[in-house]
Amino acid sequence: MNTAMGMLEGKVAVITGGTSGIGARCAERFVEAGARVVIAGRREAEGQAVARRLGAAARYFRADVESEPQVRDLVGFALDRFGRLDCLVNNAGHVGPMAGIAELDAADFDHMLRVHLRGAALGMKHAAPAMQRQRSGSIVNMASLGGLRGGWTPHAYSAAKAGLVHLSRCVAVELGEHGVRVNCISPGPVVTGIFGKGAGLAPSRADQAVAGLAEAFAALQPIPRAGRVDDIANAAVFLASDAASFVNGQNLVVDGGSEAAGRPWSSTLAQVRAMADQFMAGS
Ligand SMILES: NC(=O)c1ccc[n+]([C@@H]2O[C@H](COP(=O)([O-])OP(=O)(O)OC[C@H]3O[C@@H](n4cnc5c(N)ncnc54)[C@H](OP(=O)(O)O)[C@@H]3O)[C@@H](O)[C@H]2O)c1
């Protein structure tokens, strides 16, 4: 059952990183909920394919979030085609290698901040004026569990996402006075091609080669299944909708309970039992 039906009726959204994974699923869910969407990303063929699948309610616009003129033109394109802008999902991102601090690559670090933090900042900068004029809007920034807790994601990625959570709060207090809400979603591990791309696979191959991840991720959090793109897209629909009209400056953690509750009970039990076995063996 599509519980989101009608939740975004008449709204227009821009979704960066809409050519695959979480962003592509957000685009599908937004259209199912009644919105018209502009999806952005650098891969033209993938972007056009997502837009084609969604029909007249969707357009693809090629934009690299590292480029301010391209981000500005992306927002302009949405306003031009659809006449308004109700929601911006700053979702574009990538992940790098899990290297220690002594192996930090300065260029990779800068790149990570440029995409995840500066890219989202530019999106907000160029979307804000139109939303302020409308006196309504919802900005959803895709952060990460890695931005809240160490040990989940590479240092540069984690730092960029932590910065994004705080930047979102800062902008939320400013734009809230103009009827524009700014919130984050922090997903835990979600089955997408981002991991394969980070490991060096070609993007199109990585987007397909996700089958093994569902099993690998199933035991990482108290809910015993892997995070899915639908889990995140549903949260984005809620934050974009008027049902969330008093939700501002929040970071909605969608991770099956790792951050708020803790580690899976069965992992703790297994460790405690292994320790008990060791004590017994030594006594
Ligand atoms: N999957 C997870 O476990 C997880 C967990 C926490 C947070 N996240 C966050 O969720 C977001 C989406 O990731 P995903 O898992 O869905 O991975 P994905 O399938 O690889 O999607 C990443 C998207 O970002 C786009 N992108 C990357 N760099 C870009 C740039 N410079 N300019 C414009 N678009 C760019 C990619 O499109 P092009 O290649 O076409 O440019 C692609 O559409 C990311 O911000 C990621 O950090 C993911």
Side-chain angles (χ1 to χ4, degrees), residues 95 154 240 250 272:
V95 77
Q250 280 293 337
V272 168

Side-chain angles (χ1 to χ4, degrees), residues 17 19-20 22 42-43 64-65 91 157 161 190 192 197:
T19 54
S20 61
I22 291 169
R42 298 159 302 172
R43 287 173 296 163
D64 182 334
V65 300
N91 167 76
Y157 177 96
K161 293 299 199 185
V190 173
T192 72
K197 290 170 205 171

